Amino acid sequence: PSRPRPKVILVIGGPGSGKGTQSLKIAERYGFHYMSVGELLRKKMIHNATSNRKWSLIAKIITNGELAPQETTITEIKQKIMKIPDANGIVIDGFPRDVGQALSFEDQICTPDLVVFLACTNHRLKERLQKRAEQQGRPDDNPKAIDRRLTNFKQNTIPLVKYFQERGLIVTLDADRDEEEVFCDISMTLDNKLF
Ligand code: UP5
Ligand code: MG
């Protein structure tokens, strides 16, 4: 008999809400494959920005805190997913960013099993990103790009969350709390809804 399709979990939330942190914990606990769409695009842009027109443009977009073109993003995700060996599940960090991307993902890839929304206050988001900017050097962790990322997030999120709510696919969690507390809620939710 053929194996069941791997479960697909999407983790969304503002910049600094803990998507990366919590997605890695999910991957570890459930033996899922972890995939960060932001990371995927950043790697690709660093690799190709000097030799390729399209990617040099995308590098500018991302460094300014704006969204890469939807079709390129979906194509990259699709290619990456096809390369994943047998997995029980895949946790996708930081995608989709708006309703258009959600529709396109469903159309071209699959309907997710669950969407986890990490809800965080603006104040906390800023605080965490500023702290990380001092410690690491992500190209888009500069004040201007942080503002753009926060603005884009605010604009796109309400409709996106509403879209998944109407389909009964999303769970919203309070992500202002400690990492461990947030993960405790996530794992309870996954245990309940997926297994
Ligand atoms: N931290 C985490 N959880 C904490 C907690 N509970 N308490 C205290 N501190 C906590 O966490 C951020 C920081 O906070 C870390 O220092 C962490 O230790 C601490 P992290 O887990 O990194 O949060 P995350 O939500 O992953 O923040 P990130 O900055 O990565 O979010 P973004 O949404 O900005 O980044 P992403 O990589 O997803 O996207 C970057 C860019 O890529 C986008 O702006 C866009 O240009 C492009 N993109 C697209 O174009 N299309 C896509 O589909 C996806 C990305
Ligand atoms: Mg991240």
Side-chain angles (χ1 to χ4, degrees):
S2 62
R3 287 169 64 94
R5 150 167 109 61
K7 296 192 190 313
V8 174
I9 317 298
L10 308 178
V11 179
I12 64 171
S17 58
K19 298 183 295 295
T21 306
Q22 299 297 337
S23 298
L24 282 165
K25 283 177 181 283
I26 295 173
E28 193 189 12
R29 156 86 61 105
Y30 296 94
F32 289 178
H33 187 92
Y34 167 76
M35 176 172 152
S36 158
V37 176
E39 197 68 36
L40 193 67
L41 294 169
R42 279 192 293 279
K43 274 199 187 139
K44 193 92 186 191
M45 92 189 191
I46 288 166
H47 224 128
N48 298 293
T50 49
S51 59
N52 179 300
R53 262 251 196 86
K54 182 177 103 178
W55 281 99
S56 93
L57 184 64
I58 294 177
K60 275 190 201 133
I61 295 174
I62 292 178
T63 310
N64 286 327
E66 303 287 355
L67 290 183
Q70 177 172 308
E71 270 321 300
T72 306
T73 308
I74 296 278
T75 303
E76 290 300 320
I77 295 174
K78 233 196 282 182
Q79 282 175 0
K80 186 86 182 179
I81 285 183
M82 280 184 326
K83 284 190 212 143
I84 296 175
D86 277 357
N88 299 329
I90 305 172
V91 50
I92 302 182
D93 157 8
F95 181 90
R97 314 297 272 211
D98 57 29
V99 175
Q101 287 191 342
L103 292 168
S104 168
F105 182 84
E106 278 207 69
D107 199 36
Q108 298 189 42
I109 301 173
C110 68
T111 299
D113 294 278
L114 187 68
V115 182
V116 176
F117 173 44
L118 300 177
C120 227
T121 52
N122 210 42
H123 160 80
R124 272 274 188 286
L125 295 177
K126 273 197 171 155
E127 186 182 81
R128 290 181 191 167
L129 290 178
Q130 272 155 11
K131 202 165 150 197
R132 194 181 63 191
E134 289 159 19
Q135 296 161 344
Q136 298 169 26
R138 225 172 85 171
D140 59 349
D141 271 351
N142 61 76
K144 235 176 123 188
I146 289 178
D147 274 347
R148 290 304 311 157
R149 281 151 68 202
L150 285 166
T151 306
N152 283 334
F153 167 71
K154 270 186 265 174
Q155 264 172 16
N156 294 331
T157 296
I158 295 171
L160 179 64
V161 168
K162 194 164 159 247
Y163 169 75
F164 283 128
Q165 263 164 357
E166 279 160 3
R167 318 210 23 233
L169 289 173
I170 199 167
V171 52
T172 300
L173 300 174
D174 170 12
D176 263 3
R177 300 165 299 158
D178 283 355
E179 273 178 43
E180 296 309 323
E181 286 176 83
V182 178
F183 187 64
C184 189
D185 271 10
I186 292 182
S187 55
M188 270 195 306
T189 307
L190 262 61
D191 289 346
N192 264 326
K193 301 220 177 219
L194 295 183
F195 300 100

